[in-house]
Amino acid sequence: MSYLGIIAEYNPLHNGHLYHFNTSLDITQAKYSICIMSGNFVQRGEPAVIDKWSRTLAALKAGFDLVLELPVIYCTQSAEIFAYGAVSILNSLNIVDYLSFGSECEDIDILKKIAYVFANEPEEYRDILRQEMDAGNSFASSRANAFMKYIKGDFSYGDADNIKSILQSSNNILALEYLKWLIRLKSPIIPVSVKRIGPDYNDQNIQDGNFASALFLRETAKNHDWEILSHYMPPFSMDILRQCINSGKAPVTVDNFTSAILCKLRQMPLHEISSIIDVSEGLEYRIKKAASQSGSISELIHNIKSKRYTETRIKRILLHSLLGMTKSSLTPPEYIRVLGFSEKGRQVIHKIKESCVLPVITNMSDYKEYKDERFKKMVAMDILATDIYVTAYSKEQDRTGGCDFLKGPVMV
Amino acid sequence: MSYLGIIAEYNPLHNGHLYHFNTSLDITQAKYSICIMSGNFVQRGEPAVIDKWSRTLAALKAGFDLVLELPVIYCTQSAEIFAYGAVSILNSLNIVDYLSFGSECEDIDILKKIAYVFANEPEEYRDILRQEMDAGNSFASSRANAFMKYIKGDFSYGDADNIKSILQSSNNILALEYLKWLIRLKSPIIPVSVKRIGPDYNDQNIQDGNFASALFLRETAKNHDWEILSHYMPPFSMDILRQCINSGKAPVTVDNFTSAILCKLRQMPLHEISSIIDVSEGLEYRIKKAASQSGSISELIHNIKSKRYTETRIKRILLHSLLGMTKSSLTPPEYIRVLGFSEKGRQVIHKIKESCVLPVITNMSDYKEYKDERFKKMVAMDILATDIYVTAYSKEQDRTGGCDFLKGPVMV
């Protein structure tokens, strides 16, 4: 009776995701599957194209038994913090046997070896990393450079070019973070790497057989090209996406929040902007100036961007300011939030309630009176994220807040 | 060589406004005319339908020599504070001979007599007023009731029904505030009342000869009914309005800020909402709840409204939250901001620079380095108001901030 865990966003769920899920089941022969999913905002620093309940339904229709929400305080952050939240939740369930992820690199051993360095941060490596950062590079490229310098000459890591390319691919970067946190949390969960097929997440215009990037699919969905989408998405997932679009609830994009973000940043004093998560080293001045000089979100990002601050990091900062996410110490997850489950998933929930020390929330209203401060803070941010997300809907009656209290879990 | 002052919003400037201006010139035989005008947000608690520079141009084309800006901290407030700001500015110029206003009541003596009570607030009157307020009525109706009780039996005020109706008409209410502040500031300015003709400001669907309410005109402008508008607006004013609409800069309405206001209020904690100007007596709870339950601004207003909190007061509160206007003590105007002038107006500016102790701002950029804290705070709010206002424009390139620095005064 083994349990498979997968960390996902399914934004939207496509053939590549389905391939990964089915391959993971094949490899692990797991009986139960659990998905840890981002809520209404995702790691690229954007609102999800469709809401979390619709994406939950897609995951359940794909075959998952249980979908749990990754609290928003982890969702819109760097790969490191995103992975920390997701792996912590999986680990805290105390029943998960496998964590399967897609990555460009098939060789789990080499990934583990790299992750070991990241997890333990030997002093020498850390010194080089600091130098790279001080030179004004982004964290991702600083880390890749530092790692290459640190292992210099050690051929057990394999060919240098190969290592370099591993460190630069977006799925590997996430995979390495998952592995890092499994090591740091001393988790017994066994990592499984499934080689990604099809184009990379970030390729907008490339399709390959029946696989296309989520970005390409989101762009295609905006144009209502259902014929094209049908090649790359399972029918159930396309139906869910279509229903959301037809009802005026999708696609939600960051442009829906142009007015809210511009008005807010123009109004925020510098010291408040500097307190936003991910704003550091005087970036508040660039943000303040750009907010005044820009008439759209893309212009705003362009005006803030620099060698050090990648587009994704800036997009995350914009969401953090929209949601009022200010700097505070990173805390472990406070709860297990059930977004949906299948018949089989019901048994998994029972099992988790026995094995996990965290409260398992199936109906948020049961927790309205819960007094724990850290719990309240974390959950309030999830509720707010939804309340802000729904303001993008085209029908006034759909923009009502409090969905997290009103909507029960999705059941199939 | 006499100077006429008029306090106005010209939102938009129509035949009734022109009639008032020309009649005021006739009565006073003034050589120069000065308009104190709201900036981009107006006293009804709304953004102005067209921006302050376009409305300045309309005022200059109507014949004004000089248009000065009423700082936004007075604009979006109660009649009392609006009048305080405007009368203070007029008075501080030290050259103005007449203040002319439109009011439903022609009899300046009766208005002055009532204003005298409001200005001096005899203890007996104040006690009754407090009782009325405690009974949960709005300020306007509490004051009308208190006044009637206070003067009970004093026939020198004239017929009771007449007094009552005076106290309930919106233009009289403003006129009484102007008079009150002239008394309180011991101003030598002579008040002049011109009887309003045409329908009341708030009548949406009533036209009368060549006069229509500004509200009716704004609604008609939304539908681009230029033929109808031409009956009620001087051609120059209609052209300005049309140009703004054709270029995607009008009509600006509070609905343009739906997303910004809903996102902001949903995110603001209760203690921050309670610090917003005009929020008192636990109204923050109603606002917070309504922000969650409403999908549009009209629904939001409806959900907050009560006997005590009028629609206009709530609309003002929404703007105050959008602009981040928090409670602080009311301070006198810190500067004279020139929005526009005619050839003749140039002489008036010279004259004012000699007579007035406040700095006279013709180009905002001259004041970028000005250090006075109260000045900086007041001016920062004007700049922010414009920077938020322009986010409503339909073309991205027009949404750039800093217009208050970039645009010089309008000259005709």
Side-chain angles (χ1 to χ4, degrees):
Chain A
M1 267 223 319
S2 61
Y3 291 83
L4 166 68
I6 285 178
I7 300 163
E9 303 207 297
Y10 297 148
N11 184 36
L13 190 144
H14 55 58
N15 290 346
H17 294 130
L18 201 56
Y19 166 83
H20 168 254
F21 175 59
N22 289 328
T23 309
S24 304
L25 283 177
D26 275 356
I27 296 174
T28 62
Q29 292 293 311
K31 192 174 171 202
Y32 297 103
S33 54
I34 301 168
C35 177
I36 312 290
M37 205 183 73
S38 303
N40 286 319
F41 292 88
V42 296
Q43 210 249 329
R44 318 173 32 89
E46 287 176 4
V49 69
I50 54 175
D51 72 280
K52 60 189 180 187
W53 290 282
S54 301
R55 280 155 45 239
T56 295
L57 181 61
L60 294 173
K61 293 217 169 193
F64 274 96
D65 298 310
L66 179 63
V67 180
L68 304 177
E69 179 170 6
L70 180 64
V72 71
I73 68 143
Y74 308 111
C75 286
T76 59
Q77 303 235 33
S78 65
E80 180 176 35
I81 297 174
F82 178 88
Y84 168 69
V87 173
S88 295
I89 287 180
L90 267 185
N91 192 50
S92 73
L93 301 180
N94 280 326
I95 55 165
V96 177
D97 301 286
Y98 302 102
L99 164 57
S100 172
F101 43 79
S103 63
E104 293 83 359
C105 170
E106 239 174 332
D107 186 346
I108 188 89
D109 289 330
I110 190 91
L111 290 174
K112 274 172 160 174
K113 237 177 136 175
I114 299 171
Y116 184 83
V117 176
F118 291 171
N120 294 297
E121 288 194 328
E123 208 173 312
E124 192 192 336
Y125 160 76
R126 200 155 42 185
D127 285 346
I128 314 174
L129 180 61
R130 201 174 302 122
Q131 286 162 27
E132 289 289 328
M133 290 290 290
D134 288 348
N137 299 311
S138 73
F139 180 73
S141 63
S142 295
R143 188 159 79 163
N145 291 345
F147 187 81
M148 293 312 292
K149 286 180 183 168
Y150 171 72
I151 61 153
K152 198 175 180 182
D154 183 348
F155 289 105
S156 69
Y157 285 92
D159 176 58
D161 286 344
N162 184 35
I163 299 288
K164 230 176 182 166
S165 86
I166 288 176
L167 289 169
Q168 277 160 356
S169 310
S170 55
N171 288 281
N172 287 335
I173 289 173
L174 265 174
L176 287 167
E177 290 295 340
Y178 297 150
L179 291 167
K180 178 178 110 182
W181 286 109
L182 287 177
I183 296 166
R184 283 202 181 158
L185 296 169
K186 300 187 179 25
S187 172
I189 297 173
I190 299 162
V192 175
S193 172
V194 174
K195 189 170 165 61
R196 271 185 64 89
I197 51 173
D200 187 66
Y201 189 76
N202 291 310
D203 292 343
Q204 185 166 350
N205 292 309
I206 301 169
Q207 309 100 56
D208 180 6
N210 291 320
F211 300 99
S213 73
L215 184 54
F216 170 82
L217 298 177
R218 290 195 294 272
E219 291 302 317
T220 310
K222 275 186 207 163
N223 303 325
H224 300 208
D225 284 336
W226 303 110
E227 164 56 24
I228 298 176
L229 288 172
S230 67
H231 296 296
Y232 309 111
M233 293 178 78
F236 64 83
S237 178
M238 199 174 79
D239 283 348
I240 291 166
L241 178 62
R242 179 154 41 190
Q243 221 159 24
C244 288
I245 289 178
N246 290 346
S247 66
K249 292 182 175 180
V252 175
T253 74
V254 73
D255 292 328
N256 291 111
F257 302 97
T258 305
S259 165
I261 291 173
L262 281 182
C263 287
K264 181 142 195 209
L265 288 177
R266 287 180 183 187
Q267 193 233 300
M268 275 172 104
L270 277 168
H271 74 270
E272 274 185 29
I273 298 181
S274 73
S275 74
I276 292 296
I277 291 180
D278 267 349
V279 175
S280 58
E281 302 153 320
L283 190 66
E284 63 271 25
Y285 294 95
R286 277 182 86 87
I287 294 173
K288 190 76 189 166
K289 195 173 166 197
S292 174
Q293 292 177 339
S294 312
S296 67
I297 296 293
S298 57
E299 209 184 333
L300 183 57
I301 295 166
H302 174 84
N303 287 337
I304 302 173
K305 216 163 83 171
S306 70
K307 187 175 153 207
R308 182 166 211 138
Y309 296 98
T310 61
E311 184 169 326
T312 309
R313 179 160 172 196
I314 293 161
K315 280 155 73 183
R316 287 184 197 129
I317 289 172
L318 298 185
L319 288 191
H320 296 161
S321 69
L322 178 68
L323 299 171
M325 286 167 69
T326 51
K327 290 165 190 163
S328 54
S329 56
L330 194 61
T331 54
E334 296 288 331
Y335 47 85
I336 304 299
R337 167 85 188 273
V338 175
L339 282 177
F341 53 88
S342 66
E343 261 312 311
K344 252 171 77 197
R346 213 181 280 273
Q347 304 161 35
V348 184
I349 295 175
H350 284 299
K351 182 90 180 163
I352 289 172
K353 282 186 174 168
E354 288 165 15
S355 61
C356 177
V357 292
L358 297 175
V360 179
I361 306 180
T362 42
N363 281 300
M364 192 63 101
S365 28
D366 296 343
Y367 284 84
K368 258 193 161 162
E369 309 301 327
Y370 204 74
K371 296 284 180 226
D372 182 86
E373 277 309 314
R374 288 208 309 206
F375 172 96
K376 270 165 62 185
K377 205 176 151 193
M378 198 172 276
V379 98
M381 199 49 89
D382 284 342
I383 292 162
L384 173 66
T386 302
D387 285 356
I388 290 205
Y389 185 86
V390 298
T391 62
Y393 292 167
S394 63
K395 292 184 193 155
E396 285 177 13
Q397 67 268 30
D398 293 330
R399 295 185 202 140
T400 308
C403 293
D404 275 293
F405 294 112
L406 301 169
K407 270 185 193 279
V410 180
M411 288 179 267
V412 292
Chain B
M1 267 226 317
S2 61
Y3 291 83
L4 165 68
I6 285 177
I7 299 163
E9 302 207 296
Y10 297 148
N11 184 36
L13 191 143
H14 55 59
N15 290 347
H17 295 131
L18 200 58
Y19 166 84
H20 168 253
F21 175 58
N22 289 327
T23 309
S24 303
L25 284 177
D26 275 356
I27 296 174
T28 62
Q29 290 294 309
K31 194 175 170 200
Y32 297 103
S33 54
I34 300 169
C35 177
I36 312 289
M37 205 183 73
S38 302
N40 286 319
F41 292 87
V42 297
Q43 211 248 331
R44 316 172 34 89
E46 288 176 2
V49 69
I50 54 175
D51 71 282
K52 61 188 180 188
W53 290 282
S54 301
R55 279 154 47 237
T56 296
L57 180 61
L60 294 173
K61 292 218 169 189
F64 274 97
D65 297 311
L66 180 63
V67 180
L68 304 177
E69 180 170 5
L70 179 64
V72 72
I73 68 142
Y74 308 111
C75 284
T76 58
Q77 303 234 35
S78 65
E80 179 174 36
I81 298 175
F82 178 89
Y84 168 70
V87 173
S88 294
I89 287 180
L90 267 186
N91 192 49
S92 73
L93 301 180
N94 279 325
I95 55 165
V96 175
D97 302 285
Y98 302 101
L99 163 58
S100 172
F101 43 78
S103 63
E104 292 83 359
C105 169
E106 239 174 335
D107 187 344
I108 188 87
D109 289 329
I110 190 90
L111 288 173
K112 275 174 161 171
K113 241 180 132 176
I114 299 172
Y116 185 83
V117 176
F118 292 171
N120 294 297
E121 287 194 330
E123 209 174 310
E124 192 191 334
Y125 160 75
R126 201 157 39 185
D127 286 344
I128 312 174
L129 179 61
R130 202 174 300 125
Q131 287 161 25
E132 288 290 328
M133 291 289 290
D134 289 346
N137 300 310
S138 74
F139 180 73
S141 63
S142 293
R143 187 158 80 164
N145 290 346
F147 187 81
M148 294 311 293
K149 286 181 182 168
Y150 171 73
I151 62 154
K152 198 176 180 182
D154 184 347
F155 290 104
S156 70
Y157 286 93
D159 174 58
D161 286 342
N162 184 34
I163 299 287
K164 229 176 182 169
S165 87
I166 288 176
L167 289 169
Q168 277 159 356
S169 310
S170 55
N171 289 280
N172 286 335
I173 289 173
L174 264 175
L176 287 167
E177 290 296 339
Y178 298 149
L179 291 166
K180 177 178 111 180
W181 285 109
L182 288 176
I183 296 166
R184 282 202 182 158
L185 296 169
K186 299 187 179 29
S187 172
I189 296 172
I190 299 161
V192 175
S193 173
V194 173
K195 189 171 167 59
R196 272 186 64 90
I197 51 172
D200 188 66
Y201 189 77
N202 292 310
D203 290 344
Q204 185 167 352
N205 292 309
I206 301 167
Q207 309 100 57
D208 180 6
N210 291 320
F211 300 100
S213 73
L215 183 55
F216 170 83
L217 297 176
R218 289 195 295 273
E219 290 302 317
T220 310
K222 277 186 207 164
N223 303 324
H224 300 207
D225 284 336
W226 303 109
E227 165 56 23
I228 298 177
L229 287 173
S230 69
H231 295 297
Y232 308 110
M233 293 177 78
F236 63 83
S237 178
M238 198 174 79
D239 284 349
I240 292 166
L241 177 63
R242 177 152 44 189
Q243 221 159 24
C244 288
I245 288 177
N246 290 345
S247 66
K249 292 182 176 180
V252 175
T253 74
V254 76
D255 291 328
N256 292 111
F257 301 97
T258 306
S259 164
I261 291 172
L262 281 183
C263 288
K264 183 146 193 205
L265 289 177
R266 287 180 183 187
Q267 193 234 300
M268 276 172 105
L270 278 167
H271 74 269
E272 274 185 28
I273 298 180
S274 73
S275 74
I276 292 296
I277 292 180
D278 268 349
V279 175
S280 58
E281 300 151 325
L283 190 66
E284 62 271 24
Y285 294 95
R286 278 182 85 88
I287 294 174
K288 189 75 189 167
K289 196 173 165 197
S292 173
Q293 292 177 340
S294 312
S296 67
I297 297 293
S298 57
E299 209 184 334
L300 183 58
I301 294 166
H302 174 82
N303 287 337
I304 302 173
K305 216 163 82 172
S306 70
K307 188 177 155 207
R308 182 164 209 139
Y309 297 98
T310 61
E311 182 168 329
T312 309
R313 181 160 172 197
I314 293 160
K315 280 156 74 183
R316 286 183 197 130
I317 288 172
L318 298 184
L319 288 189
H320 296 160
S321 69
L322 177 69
L323 299 171
M325 286 167 71
T326 50
K327 290 164 189 165
S328 54
S329 55
L330 195 62
T331 55
E334 295 288 331
Y335 47 84
I336 304 299
R337 168 86 187 273
V338 175
L339 282 177
F341 52 89
S342 66
E343 259 313 309
K344 252 171 79 198
R346 211 182 282 273
Q347 303 161 36
V348 184
I349 295 175
H350 284 300
K351 183 91 179 164
I352 289 173
K353 282 185 174 167
E354 289 166 12
S355 61
C356 176
V357 292
L358 295 177
V360 179
I361 306 180
T362 43
N363 281 299
M364 192 65 98
S365 29
D366 297 344
Y367 285 82
K368 259 193 161 162
E369 309 301 327
Y370 205 74
K371 297 282 181 228
D372 183 85
E373 276 309 314
R374 289 209 308 206
F375 172 95
K376 270 165 60 185
K377 205 177 149 191
M378 197 172 277
V379 98
M381 199 50 88
D382 284 343
I383 292 163
L384 173 67
T386 303
D387 285 355
I388 290 206
Y389 184 86
V390 298
T391 63
Y393 292 168
S394 63
K395 292 183 191 154
E396 285 178 13
Q397 68 268 27
D398 293 330
R399 295 185 202 142
T400 308
C403 294
D404 276 293
F405 294 112
L406 302 168
K407 271 185 192 279
V410 180
M411 289 180 267
V412 292

